[in-house]
Amino acid sequence: MTLPATKLKMDVLSPVQLLAHREQFPALGHNYYFNFGGQGPLPQPALDEMVRAYQYLQRVGPFSSQANGWVSDQVENTRQAMAAELLVPPETLSLTESVSGGGNIALWGCNWQPGDRLLLSDCEHPTVMAIGRQLGHRFGVQVDICPILAPLREGTLVATLAAQVQPQTRVVAFSHVLWNTGEVLPVQQIAAACRVANPNLLIVVDAAQSVGMLPPSLGSLEVDAYAFTGHKWWCGPDGLGGLYIPPASLDQFEPTYLGWRSGPTDAQGRPTRWYPDGRRFEVATSAFPLGVGLQRALKLHGALLSPQDRYERIKMLAQQLWDRLQSIPGVNCLLPCAPDSGLVSFQLEGVDHFQFVHQLEDQGFLLRLIKFPNCIRACVHYLTLESEIEALYQQIQANLC
C-alpha cells in the first residue's frame, strides 16, 4: 500500500523528511497503523542490527570469552542509551523484559506486613490488578481500588486519590498515562498529596504509555519506582524494558529473584550480596541482541526530532483525530477534549466494537479493543501521517453507513 503524503504544520519537519524516515519502518508501508500503544513498529535498521548481533555471537561462540565481553558491553550500552533518553543516571536503571516485569519487581520487592494496604486506580492495566490480587492472597494485603474517571473530569483527581490514603497504605500505584482513555495524570502532584496523607508510603508508576511519548521528566516526578518498556512508543524490540528507582528509594525494594547478574562474587565465584544499584534486580541470561536493536531505534528517533518536538507533533495529531471522530454521527470520544497523549478512545452507538475492530483490520486499519471502559482505541505517533488520520475518518464513516 502506498500512503499519500501529509501536510505538516511543524517547521522543524518537512513532509519529505517524514516520508523518508517512515520508509525505515516496514509495517508503516503495509497498513494504516494506529496501535503504537500496544506495540510500536520496529525499524528495519534495528532489526538488521539484531540479526548481525546474533550472527556475531554464533560466529565467535555464544559462550566464549569474546562473546561474554560483548554481552557485558552491550548491557551497559543499553543502560546508557535508556538513561540518556530519560535524563537519569544509568545506575538508577534496571533492565527488564517489560513493563510487567518492572512492576512485579517493585510491587513484590516491598517488605509487606500484615495490615498493609495497596491503593490502585480503577484504570490500571490487568497486570497491576493481577499483582494486587496475588499480594492479597499471599500476604493478606488489602487492595483498595479508587475510581478515577469521574474525578478526572471534575478536576478533583489529586484530592480524591489522597483522600483514599490511610495510615496502613504502603504503596500507591497508578499509570502516568491511562492506557484506556489516554489521559495524562499529574504524577508529581499526586505523589506530593499522597505523601502529605502518609509520608511513609511508596509511589509506583506504570510508565507503559508515557516513556517514548512524553518528554522526559523523571527527575521532577518524585516517584519511588517507574516501570517502562522499549517496545511501544520507542519502537524497540519486544522483550526489553526498564525500571527506574532513584537512589533514595532503592533500599525500599528487595530483589525477589536473584542470579549471577544481581551482584558480585567472591574469589570462589560465590555470590556475596546484590549490587548497590539497579543491577541488583537483573537476574541472568537475556536476549542481549535486543539491546542493540533498542539503541538503534532510539538513535533513529533522535536524529529526526527532539523528544519535545515528537510530543508536540503527537498532541497535534491527537487533536486532529479527536476532531474528526467527534464529527461522525454515532461516534463518541471518551474525553470531552483531545488528550495530551497519542491515545484516542471512542465508542460507537449500537455497534459491536469487537466486530468493528476486526472489520477495520480486514480493511488495513489497525486499532484495538479496550474492555474497560468498552471502547476502541486509536494511537497516533509522531510517525503518523495526517492523511492516515483522514483515511481512518473516511473508513469509519463508510463502515457506519
Side-chain angles (χ1 to χ4, degrees), residues 365-399:
F365 294 81
L366 305 185
L367 287 73
R368 73 157 292 176
L369 177 74
I370 299 288
K371 293 185 178 180
F372 176 77
N374 182 22
C375 63
I376 298 172
R377 189 185 73 186
C379 302
V380 291
H381 200 277
Y382 81 86
L383 295 163
T384 304
L385 302 178
E386 290 175 296
S387 57
E388 290 180 297
I389 294 173
E390 187 65 20
L392 176 61
Y393 158 76
Q394 293 177 4
Q395 194 65 54
I396 291 175
Q397 198 171 40
N399 290 353

XYZ file of all heavy atoms in Angstrom, residues 365-399:
291
model
N -6.700 -1.142 8.538
C -6.596 -0.147 9.608
C -6.453 -0.885 10.945
O -7.379 -1.575 11.379
C -7.828 0.759 9.636
C -7.973 1.626 8.426
C -8.526 1.125 7.244
C -7.530 2.941 8.436
C -8.648 1.913 6.114
C -7.656 3.741 7.303
C -8.210 3.224 6.144
N -5.306 -0.726 11.598
C -5.019 -1.490 12.802
C -5.270 -0.648 14.047
O -4.518 0.277 14.364
C -3.569 -1.979 12.776
C -3.165 -2.789 11.531
C -1.752 -3.332 11.679
C -4.149 -3.901 11.245
N -6.359 -0.964 14.772
C -6.723 -0.346 16.036
C -6.881 -1.473 17.049
O -6.592 -2.629 16.737
C -8.024 0.462 15.910
C -7.970 1.793 15.154
C -7.835 1.572 13.631
C -9.216 2.628 15.429
N -7.367 -1.163 18.252
C -7.577 -2.236 19.217
C -8.823 -1.987 20.061
O -9.287 -0.847 20.212
C -6.363 -2.441 20.117
C -6.130 -1.379 21.168
C -5.282 -1.938 22.324
N -6.007 -2.942 23.089
C -5.463 -3.637 24.098
N -4.207 -3.452 24.424
N -6.181 -4.513 24.764
N -9.304 -3.078 20.624
C -10.462 -3.042 21.520
C -9.984 -2.903 22.953
O -9.005 -3.534 23.366
C -11.261 -4.337 21.363
C -12.473 -4.525 22.279
C -13.616 -3.625 21.831
C -12.924 -5.990 22.261
N -10.649 -2.060 23.739
C -10.411 -1.936 25.177
C -11.689 -2.379 25.884
O -12.788 -1.970 25.504
C -10.064 -0.487 25.573
C -8.784 -0.021 24.856
C -9.914 -0.360 27.086
C -7.504 -0.623 25.343
N -11.538 -3.215 26.920
C -12.720 -3.752 27.595
C -13.261 -2.838 28.689
O -14.456 -2.863 28.988
C -12.395 -5.131 28.167
C -12.145 -6.180 27.098
C -11.939 -7.557 27.697
C -11.741 -8.607 26.606
N -11.546 -9.964 27.174
N -12.379 -2.045 29.350
C -12.866 -1.147 30.394
C -12.209 0.217 30.246
O -10.996 0.336 30.383
C -12.579 -1.686 31.790
C -12.999 -0.708 32.869
C -14.337 -0.571 33.210
C -12.070 0.094 33.505
C -14.731 0.343 34.177
C -12.457 1.017 34.479
C -13.784 1.124 34.814
N -13.027 1.235 29.958
C -14.417 1.106 29.527
C -14.483 0.525 28.123
O -13.509 0.607 27.374
C -14.929 2.544 29.574
C -13.708 3.389 29.406
C -12.573 2.643 30.000
N -15.607 -0.062 27.783
C -15.770 -0.712 26.487
C -15.632 0.327 25.376
O -16.486 1.204 25.211
C -17.137 -1.390 26.427
C -17.352 -2.131 25.115
O -16.395 -2.482 24.442
N -18.604 -2.367 24.766
N -14.538 0.244 24.622
C -14.273 1.270 23.616
C -13.261 0.753 22.596
O -12.713 -0.346 22.732
C -13.757 2.553 24.275
S -12.177 2.344 25.134
N -13.012 1.571 21.603
C -11.986 1.320 20.593
C -10.897 2.370 20.782
O -11.183 3.544 20.993
C -12.576 1.401 19.175
C -13.641 0.318 18.989
C -11.481 1.254 18.123
C -14.413 0.450 17.692
N -9.642 1.927 20.692
C -8.525 2.858 20.900
C -7.696 2.983 19.632
O -7.298 1.981 19.036
C -7.626 2.371 22.043
C -6.570 3.389 22.462
C -5.626 2.812 23.499
N -4.699 1.844 22.899
C -3.839 1.106 23.594
N -3.815 1.185 24.909
N -3.022 0.265 22.980
N -7.457 4.217 19.231
C -6.564 4.518 18.115
C -5.390 5.327 18.654
O -5.575 6.248 19.450
C -7.297 5.310 17.033
N -4.181 4.982 18.242
C -2.982 5.663 18.730
C -2.269 6.360 17.579
O -2.057 5.757 16.522
C -2.017 4.673 19.369
S -2.708 3.738 20.738
N -1.886 7.597 17.796
C -1.077 8.323 16.822
C 0.306 8.562 17.397
O 0.469 8.823 18.589
C -1.735 9.666 16.423
C -2.988 9.421 15.612
C -2.047 10.527 17.645
N 1.299 8.456 16.552
C 2.706 8.636 16.895
C 3.201 9.843 16.111
O 2.493 10.342 15.217
C 3.462 7.368 16.489
C 4.776 7.159 17.168
N 5.940 7.750 16.737
C 5.112 6.389 18.239
C 6.944 7.354 17.516
N 6.473 6.533 18.440
N 4.399 10.321 16.394
C 4.924 11.375 15.534
C 5.111 10.850 14.112
O 5.145 11.610 13.143
C 6.235 11.933 16.097
C 7.478 11.122 15.789
C 8.186 11.311 14.611
C 7.957 10.175 16.688
C 9.326 10.576 14.321
C 9.087 9.438 16.413
C 9.774 9.634 15.224
O 10.901 8.893 14.948
N 5.189 9.522 13.958
C 5.338 8.896 12.649
C 4.052 8.917 11.827
O 4.090 8.703 10.610
C 5.783 7.441 12.826
C 7.164 7.217 13.445
C 7.293 5.778 13.928
C 8.252 7.551 12.437
N 2.913 9.136 12.482
C 1.620 9.093 11.803
C 1.489 10.251 10.810
O 1.927 11.375 11.074
C 0.480 9.171 12.824
O 0.631 8.107 13.771
C -0.877 9.055 12.163
N 0.874 9.965 9.671
C 0.599 10.994 8.678
C -0.798 11.579 8.908
O -1.726 10.851 9.273
C 0.655 10.412 7.267
C 1.959 9.738 6.829
C 1.792 9.177 5.418
C 3.123 10.702 6.900
N -0.940 12.856 8.645
C -2.267 13.460 8.727
C -3.218 12.807 7.723
O -4.422 12.672 7.975
C -2.160 14.962 8.474
C -1.470 15.706 9.606
C -1.262 17.170 9.278
O -0.511 17.458 8.323
O -1.867 18.008 9.960
N -2.685 12.390 6.587
C -3.517 11.723 5.588
C -4.014 10.370 6.089
O -5.090 9.915 5.683
C -2.732 11.546 4.289
O -1.533 10.833 4.512
N -3.265 9.716 6.962
C -3.719 8.450 7.541
C -4.916 8.683 8.457
O -5.854 7.880 8.495
C -2.587 7.782 8.315
C -1.464 7.245 7.452
C -0.371 6.606 8.278
O 0.253 7.322 9.076
O -0.135 5.394 8.124
N -4.866 9.769 9.210
C -5.999 10.108 10.075
C -7.234 10.380 9.232
O -8.344 9.937 9.551
C -5.644 11.319 10.961
C -4.534 10.940 11.940
C -6.881 11.834 11.701
C -3.997 12.096 12.750
N -7.054 11.097 8.143
C -8.181 11.389 7.257
C -8.736 10.098 6.648
O -9.954 9.927 6.518
C -7.739 12.350 6.156
C -8.864 12.853 5.269
C -9.868 13.709 6.027
O -9.527 14.238 7.112
O -11.009 13.845 5.539
N -7.842 9.177 6.282
C -8.294 7.904 5.716
C -9.071 7.089 6.746
O -10.088 6.459 6.409
C -7.096 7.111 5.204
N -8.614 7.105 8.001
C -9.339 6.396 9.057
C -10.715 7.013 9.268
O -11.720 6.288 9.412
C -8.539 6.430 10.366
C -9.219 5.796 11.590
C -9.490 4.316 11.359
C -8.365 6.014 12.841
N -10.780 8.315 9.298
C -12.061 9.012 9.434
C -13.026 8.590 8.336
O -14.191 8.247 8.594
C -11.803 10.521 9.391
C -13.000 11.366 9.009
C -14.032 11.610 9.906
C -13.078 11.919 7.733
C -15.128 12.386 9.538
C -14.142 12.706 7.353
C -15.181 12.932 8.260
O -16.252 13.693 7.909
N -12.564 8.566 7.125
C -13.415 8.213 5.999
C -13.846 6.741 6.060
O -14.996 6.398 5.751
C -12.716 8.508 4.686
C -12.494 9.986 4.432
C -11.727 10.282 3.152
O -11.422 9.363 2.396
N -11.404 11.545 2.934
N -12.931 5.852 6.513
C -13.266 4.440 6.580
C -14.299 4.154 7.676
O -15.230 3.372 7.480
C -12.002 3.611 6.829
C -12.172 2.136 6.601
C -12.476 1.820 5.144
O -11.750 2.214 4.243
N -13.567 1.114 4.905
N -14.123 4.786 8.832
C -15.111 4.612 9.902
C -16.477 5.132 9.446
O -17.511 4.478 9.667
C -14.641 5.336 11.173
C -13.416 4.627 11.768
C -15.770 5.398 12.217
C -12.810 5.340 12.962
N -16.462 6.269 8.831
C -17.720 6.852 8.340
C -18.391 5.930 7.329
O -19.613 5.696 7.375
C -17.414 8.221 7.707
C -18.617 9.123 7.536
C -18.193 10.526 7.109
O -17.290 10.696 6.297
N -18.848 11.530 7.660
N -17.608 5.363 6.428
C -18.154 4.455 5.414
C -18.697 3.169 6.047
O -19.771 2.670 5.651
C -17.085 4.126 4.388
N -17.986 2.649 7.042
C -18.430 1.403 7.690
C -19.702 1.577 8.501
O -20.447 0.618 8.709
C -17.318 0.867 8.594
C -16.136 0.325 7.834
O -16.170 0.222 6.597
N -15.071 -0.031 8.536
